[in-house]
Amino acid sequence: MVRQPLTAEQIAAGQRLGVALRAARAGRSLVEVALAAGISPETLRKIEAGRLPAPAFGTVVCLSQALDVPLSDLADVWLADMRVHQAS
């Protein structure tokens, strides 16, 4: 099975997610949060920088828990701009 390339909207959503995660991390170190979520610091760095725009669902769930951010809030960040385009 060949994975389809991400759309521009999906890439933008991943960038918004990265910004939201970085903001939620606030004063905590990247390493601390990554280890609490069970992922590598490099993976978190890539997500926050938007270089990994479509992280696995389980990764987002673990980051949600590690950062004490409701998963629904992260979903809203991901979907924010997409809802505007769908309504047009």
Side-chain angles (χ1 to χ4, degrees):
M1 184 163 110
V2 176
R3 183 175 177 176
Q4 295 295 318
L6 297 175
T7 65
E9 289 84 9
Q10 290 169 320
I11 291 169
Q15 291 170 339
R16 287 192 307 275
L17 179 64
V19 168
L21 291 171
R22 191 175 323 112
R25 186 166 57 82
R28 295 173 64 187
S29 79
L30 185 136
V31 172
E32 175 189 349
V33 171
L35 295 178
I39 63 174
S40 74
E42 184 58 24
T43 297
L44 180 53
R45 188 174 292 111
K46 287 179 182 178
I47 294 169
E48 286 187 355
R51 292 189 347 251
L52 183 57
F57 179 71
T59 299
V60 177
V61 169
C62 290
L63 285 167
S64 167
Q65 290 179 335
L67 293 166
D68 197 29
V69 174
L71 188 57
S72 61
D73 288 0
L74 296 179
D76 287 343
V77 167
W78 177 270
L79 294 171
D81 199 38
M82 291 183 189
R83 289 182 182 147
V84 171
H85 284 81
Q86 290 174 353
S88 303

